[in-house]
Amino acid sequence: NGGIWLWQGLVDGCVVTNCNAQNSSGTRMAGGGIRMEGGTVRNSTIAKCERTRYTGGGIWMGSSSCLVENCRIVGCKENYDASSKGGGIYASNGRIRNCLITGCSCYGTGLGVYLAGSTVMENCTVANCTNTKNNSGAGIAAAGYAEVRNCISWNCTNLAGEKDIELSGGASAEFCNSIPQQDALSNNISVDPQFGGGYDLSGFTDC
């Protein structure tokens, strides 16, 4: 891990910045900013962290007891090769709530966030995340039985263009806003969120 290795307990109101986990292909070195085996990360900023080989540029989450809420993950990256996953967050389980993930990058998929297992992500915004290496990947990539609820993924691009949410396996998205639009039967839309100051929503948005 790069900055913090959390097994249980609480990280609250902290700034983790310019950390780097590198030079190992195993999961023990996953998570450039924070590696979570359990516990809660709350009201914190993880910025400009990097994992140079494996998963989770900003945060790596590995169990159902992991909770990340009210956090900002900014400018983190996982840029090793096409197998990389999760520029901002990689979660094989746990819950992500009320977070902003922006300006992150990944050479594989999950330019902002990669979700697997039974991870739940809700009330989050993922924006302006990129893959500058090839034409694959989406802002939020969800596999397994992961659930994406009431989230915005916007202006996340690979070399082929904008792709904000990508679902595989039994993963689902509902009440989300993205390009291309996910299943409309799950109350998903595809409109400009019209961000106000920063990434707050203006009073004129349908989101």
Side-chain angles (χ1 to χ4, degrees):
N1 62 304
I4 296 172
W5 195 335
L6 182 67
W7 289 86
Q8 60 184 352
L10 175 65
V11 174
D12 193 355
C14 294
V15 175
V16 181
T17 185
N18 292 309
C19 295
N20 190 320
Q22 59 182 336
N23 297 333
S24 173
S25 60
T27 58
R28 292 179 65 83
M29 291 296 290
I34 301 176
R35 173 189 169 90
M36 299 179 67
E37 304 286 353
T40 298
V41 178
R42 177 183 298 149
N43 304 321
S44 296
T45 297
I46 296 86
K48 298 181 180 179
C49 294
E50 179 177 1
R51 172 69 180 106
T52 56
R53 188 180 179 185
Y54 202 63
T55 54
I59 298 175
W60 183 93
M61 302 166 63
S63 79
S64 60
S65 63
C66 295
L67 171 63
V68 175
E69 63 178 355
N70 304 326
C71 290
R72 298 171 68 249
I73 296 89
V74 181
C76 296
K77 58 185 179 179
E78 170 51 271
N79 286 347
Y80 180 68
D81 60 19
S83 68
S84 301
K85 295 176 181 178
I89 299 175
Y90 175 95
S92 61
N93 221 320
R95 187 175 294 266
I96 305 165
R97 180 188 301 147
N98 300 330
C99 291
L100 170 67
I101 300 96
T102 182
C104 297
S105 63
C106 180
Y107 283 168
T109 191
L111 314 182
V113 180
Y114 185 91
L115 310 173
S118 298
T119 306
V120 175
M121 180 176 179
E122 55 190 353
N123 306 329
C124 294
T125 295
V126 179
N128 298 317
C129 296
T130 60
N131 181 345
T132 59
K133 186 79 170 181
N134 55 57
N135 60 359
S136 67
I140 300 172
Y145 294 96
E147 299 178 38
V148 186
R149 303 174 183 164
N150 196 36
C151 291
I152 297 171
S153 186
W154 198 254
N155 195 35
C156 294
T157 58
N158 56 48
L159 294 185
E162 185 167 357
K163 190 171 185 181
D164 294 309
I165 297 178
E166 181 176 65
L167 304 176
S168 61
S172 63
E174 59 180 358
F175 296 98
C176 291
N177 184 36
S178 66
I179 290 179
Q181 179 178 326
Q182 299 300 309
D183 183 5
L185 295 177
S186 295
N187 297 294
N188 296 301
I189 59 175
S190 184
V191 299
D192 186 338
Q194 300 187 48
F195 294 122
Y199 289 95
D200 294 332
L201 296 177
S202 72
F204 302 98
T205 180
D206 291 329
C207 293

